[in-house]
Amino acid sequence: MTATATRVLVLNSGSSSVKYQLLDMADGTRLAVGLVERIGEETSRLAHTPLATGGVKRETEGAIADHEAALKAVAAELAADGLGLDSPQLAAIGHRVVHGGLKFTAPTVIDEAVLKEIERLVPVAPLHNPANITGIRTAQALRPDLPQVAVFDTAFHTTMPEYAARYAIDVETADAHRIRRYGFHGTSHAYVSRRAAALLGKDPSEVNVIVLHLGNGASASAVRGGRCVDTSMGLTPLEGLVMGTRSGDIDPAVTFHLKRVAGMSTDEIDVLLNKRSGLIGLCGDNDMREIRRRIDEGDQRARLAFDIYVHRLKKYIGAYYAVLGRVDAIAFTAGVGENAAPVREAAIAGLEELGMAVDASLNAVRSDEPRLISPDYARVAVAVVPTDEELEIAQQTYALVNA
């Protein structure tokens, strides 16, 4: 890497999409952002915004056959702005990888052995790791000389003690099949917990934070002194909070019951719990804005879905308060956490005896900046901290290749 190579391209490859950002780590500025979606369909779409040259979004539609074609299209868009992948200023490509198991506890330079281990984890991340691998191999083909770094969603949670990470099942069976709590959204939880500490004017090592990452996927974490000690997602992203389309916590015997009584196959139950449950299963909508609109119109089904969602949140806040013993801040983040003031208000309501409260006027403010929404007298700070997973991935990638 040359002394002038300060740029990092961040790639988040999904099964039919690629999100990307190009950042200059000299000052953390974004040079370009974009999204390729509906890969493999006739109506693929590429939206590209060259922030370095004025930020005017360009959108193109047309068939993009696969991830290789998608990344080549991204490279062409970047090149058109003088930000091509052949630039000597490009230091590395950072890849979001969802599941790293127990082996990967930190960002890792990708070689063939690393790729094989990521492939070995496909059975516990069948929706995510294959797409991540495709993105990595395609990027390697485009720039084989450039360091490619994997940043794992699970890495931040590998600091959990064994008593928090293990399930109470037969140890030999669990170990043979790598069954344990891994947790996800780790880059977001890491970033937000640090920003929450900074908002309080303290070092992360001095602060205990409960992070609530509330998007279409949702997870909570208990962070003590900058280290995760518990998190709501488990072996897969299905466990924990009520989500947009996922059930979250459920009696495991429900699956046996559906198989025996309803005659559902394993695959059908998988689809039910991952894609037809959560908010969309409860009321037919997984957009919190639409749910709130329906509630305002008196829709009782939407009201029940909202109440179930909030009830689960409260349970995790209380549980993680008990785990941490002392809580300095609750941090709301991601699409719902950052934008849905009624969710924040409802989740904290009734927790005054735990030192938490929300100031209605502060909670109503919309901003892209980290901010406190609790009154001055509250013993526990309640914060809204916009997440920035791409910046976190870029920082970890750049730090590794610089080292």
Side-chain angles (χ1 to χ4, degrees):
M1 186 178 73
T2 67
T4 57
T6 58
R7 295 176 183 173
V8 173
L9 177 63
V10 175
L11 295 178
N12 181 352
S13 299
S15 57
S16 62
S17 67
V18 175
K19 296 178 184 177
Y20 64 93
Q21 289 195 17
L22 180 66
L23 300 95
D24 191 332
M25 303 316 297
D27 53 11
T29 58
R30 283 172 176 75
L31 303 176
V33 301
L35 168 68
V36 187
E37 56 186 349
R38 301 194 295 270
I39 296 171
E41 300 179 19
E42 291 182 5
T43 57
S44 306
R45 172 177 168 270
L46 193 163
H48 174 84
T49 305
L51 300 174
T53 58
V56 179
K57 182 186 288 188
R58 302 193 297 266
E59 294 191 23
T60 56
E61 290 194 359
I64 296 177
D66 51 30
H67 282 71
E68 181 179 359
L71 283 185
K72 285 181 177 177
V74 170
E77 291 289 343
L78 292 169
D81 303 313
L83 303 170
L85 296 190
D86 59 350
S87 169
Q89 293 176 278
L90 189 60
I93 298 177
H95 297 266
R96 180 203 179 202
V97 178
V98 167
H99 215 309
L102 290 181
K103 185 177 181 67
F104 299 113
T105 62
T108 304
V109 174
I110 300 167
D111 57 20
E112 199 56 36
V114 169
L115 266 174
K116 285 181 179 177
E117 182 63 21
I118 295 172
E119 287 175 342
R120 204 166 68 88
L121 290 162
V122 165
V124 288
L127 299 178
H128 300 95
N129 274 31
N132 301 154
I133 292 165
T134 300
I136 290 167
R137 290 200 180 278
T138 303
Q140 285 178 324
L142 289 174
R143 279 298 305 268
D145 60 311
L146 202 64
Q148 312 269 340
V149 175
V151 178
F152 299 91
D153 268 17
T154 50
F156 182 65
H157 304 303
T158 57
T159 57
M160 283 188 292
E162 278 293 285
Y163 56 75
R166 277 201 176 267
Y167 293 111
I169 66 172
D170 173 68
V171 171
E172 286 75 19
T173 301
D175 288 348
H177 300 285
R178 291 174 291 177
I179 299 171
R180 62 186 290 118
R181 171 170 284 106
Y182 292 100
F184 300 90
H185 296 144
T187 52
S188 177
H189 286 279
Y191 177 84
V192 170
S193 60
R194 287 201 315 273
R195 289 303 300 267
L199 197 59
L200 300 181
K202 296 183 178 180
D203 188 271
S205 64
E206 304 172 329
V207 176
N208 291 354
V209 184
I210 297 173
V211 178
L212 302 172
H213 177 108
L214 309 179
N216 192 50
S219 59
S221 67
V223 183
R224 177 184 291 127
R227 294 166 61 86
C228 177
V229 296
D230 207 346
T231 192
S232 59
M233 285 180 166
L235 173 72
T236 76
L238 180 59
E239 189 180 0
L241 303 176
V242 174
M243 304 176 223
T245 66
R246 299 181 194 133
S247 65
D249 291 341
I250 194 168
D251 181 349
V254 169
T255 59
F256 314 144
H257 180 78
L258 290 172
K259 192 171 181 66
R260 292 168 181 155
V261 176
M264 293 177 69
S265 69
T266 301
D267 287 344
E268 287 172 331
I269 296 170
D270 191 330
V271 169
L272 170 69
L273 297 181
N274 276 292
K275 297 182 178 179
R276 292 172 42 218
S277 295
L279 292 172
I280 205 162
L282 290 167
C283 71
D285 272 309
N286 63 334
D287 187 322
M288 188 58 72
R289 293 166 297 188
E290 182 63 16
I291 291 171
R292 290 303 309 178
R293 184 193 66 76
R294 288 171 55 184
I295 290 171
D296 292 341
E297 293 178 352
D299 188 316
Q300 291 306 304
R301 192 174 167 193
R303 164 54 68 182
L304 178 60
F306 182 84
D307 289 346
I308 292 171
Y309 183 94
V310 169
H311 178 69
R312 188 79 56 82
L313 267 179
K314 282 181 183 288
K315 286 176 68 174
Y316 270 91
I317 291 170
Y320 287 172
Y321 200 117
V323 166
L324 291 169
R326 187 199 83 240
V327 176
D328 300 294
I330 307 285
F332 288 89
T333 193
V336 174
E338 294 169 27
N339 298 299
V343 170
R344 299 191 296 258
E345 179 183 10
I348 300 300
L351 302 182
E352 290 79 10
E353 290 297 319
L354 297 180
M356 304 176 199
V358 166
D359 181 291
S361 60
L362 294 175
N363 190 36
V365 172
R366 294 182 69 88
S367 172
D368 293 331
E369 296 298 318
R371 60 199 184 277
L372 295 177
I373 60 171
S374 48
D376 291 340
Y377 64 78
R379 190 168 70 251
V380 177
V382 181
V384 179
V385 181
T387 192
D388 198 333
E389 294 174 271
E390 288 77 16
L391 178 59
E392 179 72 16
I393 292 169
Q395 288 174 335
Q396 292 191 27
T397 297
Y398 189 63
L400 180 59
V401 297
N402 250 349

